[in-house]
Amino acid sequence: MGRRLVPLTLDNLPDLPKRCRSCVFWELDPVSGEAAVQAGRSESEKESWISAVLLEWGSCGRVVYVDEVPVGYVLYAPPAYVPRSTAFPTSPVAADAVQLITAWIMPGYQGQGLGRVMVQTVAKDVLRRGFKAIEAFGDARWKEPACMLPADHLLAVGFKTVRPHHAFPRMRLDLRTTLSWKEDVEMALDRLLGAVQKEPALRPL
């Protein structure tokens, strides 16, 4: 089974699920997001957001391919690019962290370790860009696919709760210890994340 993770660009944006291509939950503040949906502009707003982040910061996601079939993706960016994050009761995301925005793996490809591989790929990227951690808002009451990651999944791939909340805890994967290890980044991340024994595959969002 050949699998690869490719940086998200406008060229491969169509490989995301259709509902995700037109979702602006994170990319716009609540008022602007609702207005975009009502006006039928959400898909173009999503493209504009990705384009702006690409120009100013670089690729903000990865698309997962298995045997050339797109089976999942992950989206992440510094919190300054994620207006919705300020609406959460456990905000703000720390200044030294990149926000893991959302992720998804196609049913049938879950349980194969792709969730852990995605987190490792994001971690390697943000370390190279000088950030010390990844943070995310978990959904402690997750029941069905949505824009947020289940809190128990984040715990399973190595995150720890830094600001508890009954519904939306803010969670963090601290990478600072990795920087002090005398190993290459990939091996260090294998040590950091490899000890996690719980099921690492992402649920479909």
Side-chain angles (χ1 to χ4, degrees):
M1 181 178 71
R3 65 187 186 186
R4 59 194 180 98
L5 279 77
V6 177
L8 175 65
T9 66
L10 294 177
D11 291 335
N12 59 16
L13 179 59
D15 287 343
L16 270 57
K18 183 170 177 55
R19 62 186 176 85
C20 299
R21 295 198 304 269
S22 59
C23 176
V24 288
F25 177 85
W26 290 106
E27 292 82 358
L28 299 175
D29 65 78
V31 174
S32 300
E34 182 63 27
V37 170
Q38 291 183 354
R41 299 193 319 267
S42 57
E43 193 161 341
S44 62
E45 290 282 1
K46 181 88 163 195
E47 287 188 17
S48 296
W49 182 86
I50 290 172
S51 178
V53 179
L54 279 167
L55 286 171
E56 297 174 14
W57 189 66
S59 181
C60 55
R62 292 290 187 274
V63 183
V64 185
Y65 297 89
V66 175
D67 295 333
E68 303 307 313
V69 176
V71 301
Y73 79 98
V74 59
L75 200 63
Y76 56 97
Y81 292 101
V82 192
R84 172 75 68 157
S85 67
T86 60
F88 281 81
T90 48
S91 67
V93 170
D96 65 350
V98 164
Q99 183 179 341
L100 179 64
I101 300 171
T102 193
W104 173 87
I105 290 177
M106 183 187 298
Y109 290 89
Q110 299 158 27
Q112 299 178 16
L114 291 175
R116 178 171 166 244
V117 171
M118 286 202 295
V119 172
Q120 285 180 308
T121 301
V122 174
K124 283 186 279 188
D125 187 32
V126 303
L127 274 171
R128 291 189 187 104
R129 299 194 201 198
F131 291 87
K132 295 182 178 179
I134 305 168
E135 293 196 1
F137 296 101
D139 184 351
R141 302 179 296 190
W142 192 96
K143 292 181 179 178
E144 60 186 16
C147 300
M148 296 185 65
L149 291 166
D152 60 355
H153 165 71
L154 292 168
L155 290 171
V157 294
F159 283 75
K160 298 184 184 305
T161 302
V162 290
R163 189 163 179 196
H165 189 267
H166 67 280
F168 306 121
R170 180 160 53 87
M171 309 177 79
R172 179 179 174 97
L173 181 64
D174 198 332
L175 306 174
R176 284 178 295 186
T177 52
T178 309
L179 298 174
S180 64
W181 293 348
K182 304 301 182 184
E183 299 174 274
D184 117 322
V185 168
E186 187 164 358
M187 290 178 64
L189 286 164
D190 280 342
R191 276 182 54 180
L192 180 67
L193 300 173
V196 177
Q197 298 299 318
K198 295 181 182 178
E199 172 55 58
L202 293 175
R203 300 179 185 182
L205 299 184

